[in-house]
Amino acid sequence: CFWYISLGWFVLNNGKQCYSGDGGCMKKLIVFSFMSLIVFLMLCGRIVADDGMNPSLHDGDITIVLPLQPKIGDIVAVKDPLNPNGGEVFRRVLALGEMDFSYDRNGSIMQNNRRITQKDMGVFGSHQAIEERFESGDGTIKKWVIMRLIEPVVFSVPEQTVASGHVFLIADQRDEGLDSRIWGAIPEEWITGVVSLRLGKVEPWGSWATWRP
């Protein structure tokens, strides 16, 4: 949005010169676009600093985080609950405020009495890959892949209602990442944005660039 607004301002103020083929204007436009992109990356770019979201995000991946309203299945940047005045971590939204939620010993997830579908994707080293699929009330389908240890850590969250104004977040590295199973539900205001683009490591089922609408 920032880039488009800035570009619109530039065109309004320099449109006549650019339309007439003024070479100086075109150079200004290129420089302006480049500088706007740098500012955009400074404002919205984040570098992943842990492997808690593997395989969706990896340590060192570059992400674009936009100030959007988070939905179920979105990966969000959030203030680190263990150090809220310090850095950020990335986790996936599994439940919003006032939703009923549970996570059983086998890793099955229930939301408002609806189970998130899970599909075995095979074994990768010491981990089993599992595809999770969520269908919202409007028919929108979101799918993502998580990792569990072949001998998983037994962990469960009894059925509960997420407090209003809070979200329940979970790591895709299900047995090795800290998340709301430890922290509890997180205040929505701690979320700084939704991951919309990832640039980084190639996965067997993905690519080096992933767009998350």
Side-chain angles (χ1 to χ4, degrees):
C1 290
F2 171 83
W3 189 87
Y4 281 117
I5 292 171
S6 300
L7 182 61
W9 176 87
F10 181 88
V11 171
L12 285 174
N13 284 274
N14 299 273
K16 289 183 179 180
Q17 296 179 31
C18 292
Y19 184 77
S20 64
D22 187 327
C25 175
M26 294 306 296
K27 290 180 180 179
K28 289 181 182 179
L29 178 60
I30 292 172
V31 172
F32 180 82
S33 299
F34 178 75
M35 295 303 295
S36 296
L37 178 61
I38 295 297
V39 172
F40 173 77
L41 292 175
M42 290 176 63
L43 292 175
C44 300
R46 304 283 197 284
I47 296 178
V48 180
D50 73 355
D51 260 333
M53 286 303 295
N54 177 26
S56 300
L57 300 177
H58 294 271
D59 189 4
D61 281 357
I62 298 173
T63 65
I64 297 299
V65 176
L66 300 180
L68 305 174
Q69 184 67 29
K71 300 177 182 178
I72 301 296
D74 285 345
I75 297 176
V76 297
V78 60
K79 294 179 182 178
D80 186 347
L82 301 181
N83 183 21
N85 296 320
E88 294 176 322
V89 294
F90 296 85
R91 294 295 183 265
R92 191 178 299 279
V93 178
L94 269 193
L96 302 172
E98 302 182 2
M99 287 185 64
D100 294 329
F101 174 85
S102 68
Y103 180 96
D104 71 17
R105 293 167 58 90
N106 297 317
S108 297
I109 300 165
M110 295 288 291
Q111 299 167 322
N112 288 347
N113 297 317
R114 296 175 59 191
R115 189 179 301 276
I116 286 185
T117 305
Q118 295 179 323
K119 175 183 176 183
D120 185 3
M121 299 288 286
V123 174
F124 293 82
S126 60
H127 293 79
Q128 179 184 16
I130 300 171
E131 179 188 81
E132 293 185 335
R133 180 179 183 271
F134 171 77
E135 183 174 354
S136 63
D138 62 4
T140 301
I141 295 175
K142 288 194 175 183
K143 297 187 292 184
W144 56 88
V145 177
I146 70 162
M147 288 290 190
R148 295 206 68 190
L149 292 171
I150 294 176
E151 297 182 6
V153 177
V154 176
F155 200 102
S156 64
V157 177
E159 184 173 351
Q160 59 182 266
T161 300
V162 179
S164 177
H166 290 65
V167 294
F168 193 98
L169 306 177
I170 200 162
D172 283 358
Q173 187 68 275
R174 208 53 60 87
D175 295 314
E176 299 171 272
L178 297 179
D179 52 38
S180 289
R181 293 172 295 173
I182 302 295
W183 308 325
I186 301 298
E188 287 184 356
E189 58 264 27
W190 285 18
I191 293 176
T192 58
V194 175
V195 175
S196 297
L197 178 67
R198 177 199 75 92
L199 302 173
K201 184 178 179 179
V202 177
E203 286 294 342
W205 46 80
S207 64
W208 63 272
T210 307
W211 170 248
R212 304 179 185 280

